[in-house]
Structures are given as structure tokens and as C-alpha cells.
Amino acid sequence: MSHPLLQVQGVSKRFGGVQALSDVGLNVLPGQVHGLIGPNGAGKTTFFNTITGLVPVDAGRFELDGRAYKPNAVHRVAQAGIARTFQNIRLFADMTALDNVRVGRHVRSRVGWWQAVLRTRAFLHEEQLITDKAHELLAFVGLQGKAQQTARTLSYGDQRRLEIARALATEPKLLALDEPAAGMNATEKVQLRELIERIREQGRAVLLIEHDVKLVMGLCDHVTVLDQGKLIACGSPAEVQRHPAVIAAYLGTSHAPVATKGDARQGEGL
């Protein structure tokens, strides 16, 4: 078995009198699409935010590609190799699609501020490389021809894809997607699924937090399930959907399993 790309162990987090997470962990393998699910209030968003540096932990250990990292700041997490999107789209609305992606690419910039001020040959060369890469990523997510449109003028689905392109511009080892299908119609969800599959084909790992359980079960290689801040199940989609604790957490009783990976149907629920 491959060594985990992302290894998270023993994460606990308390907000005042509420224990949001209790000794939670997960492993994400290279090139794997890993789903993180749970009913409302399960703690999955808090857990996701601890991994990506938005919420400090009370306890826990984090490793990316065999090296420990401290998720105590979003920019440090990005430098370590994790890029994320947000449930509520956070684009620069009045900037072009191209410039939104260029901003993400500047995380990997090698020239210094003085070279930018003086507009040295090295700076101009790197800026051209950044622009070329941004165009390449826009084409990859299906936004070719929309580079000069401002982000606010794009459709909702296009804005979602643009946010993913900007995240990919940081050259992440792991792409963390926070509710990417939220608000999407059926056609947009199919396009999203196809995009995530293309990202996986590149060998990049994806951590996906998503309420659309059928989308998760049809797309993910591995699924982790939380309930009330605790890990209750992890395994393949087929294993997880038959797990008694998962069925009880979502439905309170036994129901027929949902579609697993390979079934293209989309929808809500378990």
C-alpha cells in the first residue's frame, strides 16, 4: 500500500463548552479522491478547517508527504502543498478570470519584491510563465475563451471551476474542496465530477467535503465519516454505506445502499 500523502492523527478541538472534535484522524493516499462526510453538526467542516489552517487545534499531528506541518496559518498550509476552495465562493469579483488564477500562481513566485519594482528581465520572464500557466489552467477547467471576463460576470458553475483553477495554480500536492457541488444544478455536478476525475488522473490527491452523498459515493476512492465530532467509519464507499453506525447517523434505521463509485447518478441523501 502507498504511504499516505496526508496523515492526520488525534485531532481534538473544543469551542467553549462544546467538544467539536475528539481524537479524529484520516489518511489520504497519493492520487486518491477522499470524501469526508457526516450529518449536520458532525464536525466535518471544523475538521476540514483544522487541516487547512483556518481553525487552530487543541491537539493533533499533521504530516504531508512524510513531513510534519503546522496548520497554524493558511499561507503556511499553501506553501506546504495544500490548496483549498470554500463553500462560499471567494474570488476577486472585479478581477478577470485570468488574473484570479495568476494571483494563485504567485504563491510559487521566485523573484523578489525589488525585481518586481525594477521590472527586471527575470521578473518579466516569470510573469510571462505565470500568465501562460494561468491560461493552461483555465483551459483545463473548461474556461478557455473566458480569460478576460471578470469573475462576477461568470455563471455560478464557472465561478466554482475558476476557484478550482486558482487553487491548482499553487501546484498543490493535495486539493481540498469544501462543498464544491453546493448550489449546482445536475449538469454542473456532472461537469464537476468530470473535472475532479481529470485532476485525479494527473496523480493529484483530492480531499472532498460534500453534502451530496451520492456524488461522494460515486466519485471517491475512500470515505471518512464523522458524527458528533467523532470518527465513526472509514473505508471504501461500499463499506461505508453498509456500516451500521453510518446508517444510524443519517437515517436512524436500515435503508437500501446508495450508488457507489462507477454509478453516474447524482442526488442527495444516503
Side-chain angles (χ1 to χ4, degrees):
M1 179 180 291
S2 300
H3 184 79
L5 173 67
L6 175 68
Q7 190 169 26
V8 182
Q9 298 175 322
V11 172
S12 295
K13 177 64 182 178
R14 177 182 288 275
F15 294 101
V18 178
Q19 188 69 43
L21 298 171
S22 300
D23 194 26
V24 178
L26 58 71
N27 292 334
V28 180
L29 300 181
Q32 183 183 74
V33 178
H34 191 118
L36 177 61
I37 65 172
N40 291 334
K44 56 188 182 296
T45 298
T46 299
F47 186 40
F48 191 87
N49 286 341
T50 65
I51 294 170
T52 56
L54 281 180
V55 173
V57 298
D58 298 329
R61 178 172 175 78
F62 303 80
E63 288 188 5
L64 184 67
D65 204 12
R67 300 182 62 180
Y69 80 94
K70 294 182 179 180
N72 52 8
V74 173
H75 72 277
R76 291 195 179 96
V77 172
Q79 290 169 350
I82 298 176
R84 69 165 292 170
T85 64
F86 293 85
Q87 180 178 357
N88 298 317
I89 296 173
R90 298 187 183 183
L91 294 169
F92 297 103
D94 294 319
M95 290 171 58
T96 65
L98 180 66
D99 284 341
N100 267 276
V101 181
R102 280 168 47 86
V103 167
R105 189 67 181 171
H106 275 99
V107 170
R108 300 301 176 193
S109 178
R110 293 182 175 86
V111 300
W113 64 268
W114 63 272
Q115 291 172 300
V117 171
L118 297 176
R119 299 185 65 80
T120 64
R121 182 177 299 179
F123 167 77
L124 294 174
H125 176 67
E126 185 173 65
E127 284 298 294
Q128 186 59 55
L129 293 178
I130 287 172
T131 298
D132 292 345
K133 185 63 177 181
H135 278 293
E136 177 185 322
L137 288 169
L138 287 173
F140 178 76
V141 302
L143 295 179
Q144 60 271 33
K146 299 184 179 181
Q148 297 306 320
Q149 287 188 226
T150 57
R152 71 167 65 252
T153 66
L154 297 174
S155 70
Y156 184 81
D158 284 351
Q159 288 184 22
R160 286 285 185 191
R161 287 192 290 276
L162 177 57
E163 194 172 34
I164 291 174
R166 185 177 62 182
L168 290 174
T170 69
E171 294 185 2
K173 298 174 182 177
L174 175 74
L175 178 63
L177 303 178
D178 184 1
E179 300 280 2
M184 284 189 170
N185 60 37
T187 300
E188 290 170 335
K189 286 183 181 181
V190 170
Q191 294 171 340
L192 172 67
R193 174 176 174 153
E194 292 171 348
L195 175 56
I196 294 173
E197 288 173 341
R198 291 200 303 274
I199 293 170
R200 173 171 51 199
E201 289 168 1
Q202 291 184 326
R204 205 180 305 275
V206 177
L207 176 61
L208 174 71
I209 180 173
E210 181 55 59
H211 272 101
D212 188 333
V213 178
K214 285 190 176 180
L215 175 62
V216 170
M217 295 298 177
L219 175 63
C220 294
D221 305 297
H222 199 88
V223 180
T224 293
V225 189
L226 302 184
D227 186 32
Q228 298 181 9
K230 297 179 181 179
L231 175 67
I232 61 170
C234 61
S236 70
E239 292 168 337
V240 163
Q241 67 173 330
R242 292 194 298 264
H243 197 289
V246 176
I247 295 172
Y250 274 94
L251 305 174
T253 184
S254 180
H255 281 62
V258 300
T260 55
K261 187 179 176 184
D263 190 326
R265 290 175 295 171
Q266 308 293 328
E268 297 288 342
L270 182 69

